[in-house]
Amino acid sequence: MLKGIRRRTIGSYAFLFLVFIALSFLKSLGIVDMLTVLLGSFWATVVMAWLTNRRLITPVEQITLVAQEMAGGILDTEIRVKGEEELDDLAWSINYMARELRKNLFVITEERNRARAILNSMADGVIALDKYGRVILINPVVEGIFKIKEEEWAGNQLIKVIRNHELEEHFIRALNSMQPVLNNELQVLTPEPRLFRVHISPLKGSHEERMGVVGLLTDVTERRKLERMRSEFVANVSHELRTPLTSINGFVETLLDGAIEDPTLAKNFLEIINAEGKRLANLIDDLLKLSRLEDRRTKLNKQPVDLAEVINNTVKMFEARATDKNIELTTALPQEMLPVPGDQGFLSQVLVNLVDNAIKYTLPGGKVGIEVTYSQEEVTVAVSDTGIGIPPESLPRVFERFYRVDKARSRDMGGTGLGLSISKHIIEAHGGKIRAESDQEGSTFSFTLPLHD
């Protein structure tokens, strides 16, 4: 192509030279004068310059301009020139290259978007480092967990992004050895303590060259918490079942050994066996009820519930007990109470559990109050007492199964240790929330229910 352009350029200069020689020869013969020679040479030069500009310089400028745009990332413009055949070939080649680049760029963009969509939809955190240990990728899960933005992690060392030396050591070890670091669990402040299982794999190039590492962070905090709760639940169930059974077996053996011959002693033992049997039956009933609630097997019979009726019935149920303990049991209800969609039987059980606990743990001369407040979308029922209170460290766990703040005292007062857990599941099944607050002046258990399904 360049040879053709070079030949045409040399030909143009040769043509001008021949024109000048021809005019000079005519002048030597006296046919033309010097002015005609100069004018002829000038116009021949002008014509050749115009032809060169039209057929060579302008197309080259257009090709150069479009090539610069392509270098800047604009691949949609195509070269359309009418020049020398070689320049037409060059323009076609550049246009073909631009089309191929567009295709490749589209494929690369699709792959990048697909990879980004996969990373964004992952439930686990992903961190990638280059071969120098600098962060090159963090997915939104990690950004959300550690409250960081892209401008804070891009190109920085991992320790500056996530200030955990143990995590950094795992990544550096995988980077230096280019061997996987698998299933390591470590605790990270996020800012709350959370437990992660870390799986780190090396990134290798086509010739086994070191390119970096990528780590997968799986949050196992809730899983470990559930495992702990399950273990505690099994231990607590075993203990709660064994206690009444041990008592029953002991008294039965005593009766069989001859105590049955003493009517007074036998009656006393049988009353204890009867009480322990009822306690055991209540425990099993509560366990079954809790199991059904957790498995969503219990269907709510939702109807408009009159909370005033539920509260008044509960107060009547506990008036005698409150009077015996010299506890003032009061209510604070709005004059107009809207009906609440729910299962009246279950909601009555929640209120009975809360009032029962309040009276149990309130000393003689104290107060227990039930208050109802309405907002635009929900109703709140609060049961407050002036009892012994709950330590701050125990508040987050009071709704766990079998959790007791004072185990010995709670067991002496009766109950299965499942009432609050059952209440929590009932309220959540109604789409509401239950919470506990406590200080030195007593405790308040309250639950909210939506006014509309």
Side-chain angles (χ1 to χ4, degrees):
M1 180 183 69
L2 293 177
K3 290 181 179 179
I5 296 175
R6 191 178 294 113
R7 285 197 301 269
R8 287 177 175 78
T9 303
I10 295 173
S12 299
Y13 286 117
F15 173 75
L16 291 175
F17 180 73
L18 290 176
V19 169
F20 179 76
I21 294 297
L23 291 173
S24 299
F25 178 73
L26 293 175
K27 177 182 177 299
S28 64
L29 296 177
I31 299 175
V32 295
D33 56 10
M34 188 60 185
L35 180 61
T36 302
V37 173
L38 294 175
L39 288 174
S41 299
F42 172 75
W43 284 112
T45 303
V46 169
V47 170
M48 290 306 301
W50 177 80
L51 290 174
T52 301
N53 181 73
R54 181 174 179 272
R55 301 288 295 175
L56 185 63
I57 297 177
T58 299
V60 169
E61 289 178 345
Q62 293 178 1
I63 292 173
T64 302
L65 178 62
V66 173
Q68 290 174 348
E69 291 180 350
M70 290 179 180
I74 303 175
L75 302 177
D76 296 330
T77 306
E78 290 197 355
I79 303 172
R80 300 184 181 278
V81 297
K82 292 182 179 180
E84 300 296 337
E85 180 181 353
E86 291 81 358
L87 293 178
D88 290 341
D89 293 340
L90 176 61
W92 183 89
S93 299
I94 294 177
N95 289 337
Y96 177 77
M97 179 184 68
R99 287 192 293 270
E100 291 301 310
L101 285 174
R102 282 199 299 270
K103 292 180 183 177
N104 293 334
L105 185 60
F106 177 78
V107 173
I108 293 172
T109 303
E110 286 293 305
E111 290 294 332
R112 184 188 63 184
N113 292 340
R114 190 178 295 112
R116 181 176 297 174
I118 293 172
L119 286 173
N120 292 347
S121 63
M122 289 181 64
D124 297 330
V126 178
I127 300 175
L129 308 183
D130 64 11
K131 62 182 178 180
Y132 303 108
R134 296 174 301 203
V135 179
I136 57 175
L137 184 145
I138 281 181
N139 73 337
V141 172
V142 177
E143 291 181 342
I145 290 174
F146 296 98
K147 303 295 186 293
I148 53 177
K149 298 180 180 178
E150 184 173 353
E151 55 268 20
E152 298 173 350
W153 58 257
N156 285 326
Q157 297 294 322
L158 182 60
I159 190 63
K160 296 181 179 179
V161 179
I162 301 173
R163 300 190 178 279
N164 185 283
H165 291 282
E166 189 177 358
L167 180 64
E168 184 197 29
E169 287 176 2
H170 288 322
F171 272 90
I172 296 302
R173 178 152 55 92
L175 187 62
N176 292 336
S177 65
M178 292 308 290
Q179 297 294 325
V181 175
L182 308 177
N183 298 329
N184 286 281
E185 289 192 2
L186 56 90
Q187 193 175 62
V188 181
L189 295 177
T190 65
E192 296 179 356
R194 300 177 78 170
L195 191 65
F196 291 93
R197 187 173 68 243
V198 182
H199 185 125
I200 305 173
S201 301
L203 296 174
K204 298 180 180 180
S206 56
H207 300 290
E208 294 297 315
E209 59 180 329
R210 185 174 68 174
M211 296 183 62
V213 291
V214 59
L216 188 69
L217 277 66
T218 304
D219 191 345
V220 295
T221 308
E222 290 300 320
R223 185 182 305 173
R224 295 293 176 265
K225 181 180 178 181
L226 290 175
E227 289 176 355
R228 175 181 59 81
M229 290 177 62
R230 182 177 61 183
S231 176
E232 291 180 357
F233 175 71
V234 172
N236 287 330
V237 168
S238 301
H239 179 74
E240 294 293 337
L241 291 174
R242 185 170 58 247
T243 300
L245 286 175
T246 301
S247 178
I248 291 172
N249 289 334
F251 285 111
V252 169
E253 289 175 1
T254 303
L255 289 171
L256 292 174
D257 287 341
I260 196 171
E261 302 298 334
D262 185 342
T264 304
L265 188 61
K267 182 180 179 182
N268 185 32
F269 283 0
L270 289 173
E271 287 177 350
I272 295 175
I273 291 172
N274 183 53
E276 292 294 342
K278 289 181 178 179
R279 178 183 171 191
L280 190 60
N282 290 334
L283 176 61
I284 294 172
D285 287 343
D286 282 352
L287 283 171
L288 292 174
K289 192 179 300 179
L290 184 61
S291 175
R292 293 191 189 100
L293 286 169
E294 289 181 338
D295 292 344
R296 311 278 183 188
R297 287 181 291 174
T298 300
K299 294 184 179 180
L300 300 178
N301 181 23
K302 279 195 172 184
Q303 295 178 354
V305 177
D306 184 355
L307 282 179
E309 180 183 350
V310 173
I311 292 171
N312 290 331
N313 290 338
T314 305
V315 170
K316 290 179 183 178
M317 185 185 304
F318 289 98
E319 274 180 340
R321 276 184 58 191
T323 302
D324 291 341
K325 286 189 68 174
N326 191 26
I327 293 174
E328 183 182 355
L329 182 57
T330 62
T331 60
L333 310 180
Q335 291 183 351
E336 183 179 353
M337 294 183 62
L338 300 175
V340 178
D343 188 307
Q344 183 164 338
F346 278 117
L347 294 180
S348 297
Q349 184 177 354
V350 172
L351 201 59
V352 166
N353 288 339
L354 297 183
V355 175
D356 182 35
N357 285 342
I359 293 177
K360 279 181 184 177
Y361 298 106
T362 299
L363 300 176
K367 296 180 180 179
V368 172
I370 305 173
E371 183 180 6
V372 177
T373 56
Y374 281 85
S375 66
Q376 189 173 0
E377 298 293 334
E378 61 187 18
V379 59
T380 301
V381 181
V383 178
S384 304
D385 63 59
T386 58
I388 58 178
I390 302 171
E393 64 273 12
S394 296
L395 274 175
R397 301 191 61 188
V398 293
F399 294 104
E400 292 181 13
R401 295 166 293 187
F402 294 116
Y403 184 80
R404 291 184 171 97
V405 177
D406 186 342
K407 292 182 172 60
R409 185 174 183 181
S410 299
R411 191 171 289 110
D412 291 339
M413 291 183 176
T416 61
L418 297 172
L420 288 179
S421 183
I422 291 173
S423 299
K424 176 177 180 289
H425 282 85
I426 290 175
I427 295 301
E428 289 179 349
H430 281 78
K433 294 180 180 179
I434 190 169
R435 57 186 176 275
E437 299 172 353
S438 185
D439 54 30
Q440 296 178 350
E441 298 180 356
S443 305
T444 299
F445 285 81
S446 60
F447 60 87
T448 58
L449 296 171
L451 291 174
H452 309 284
D453 283 331

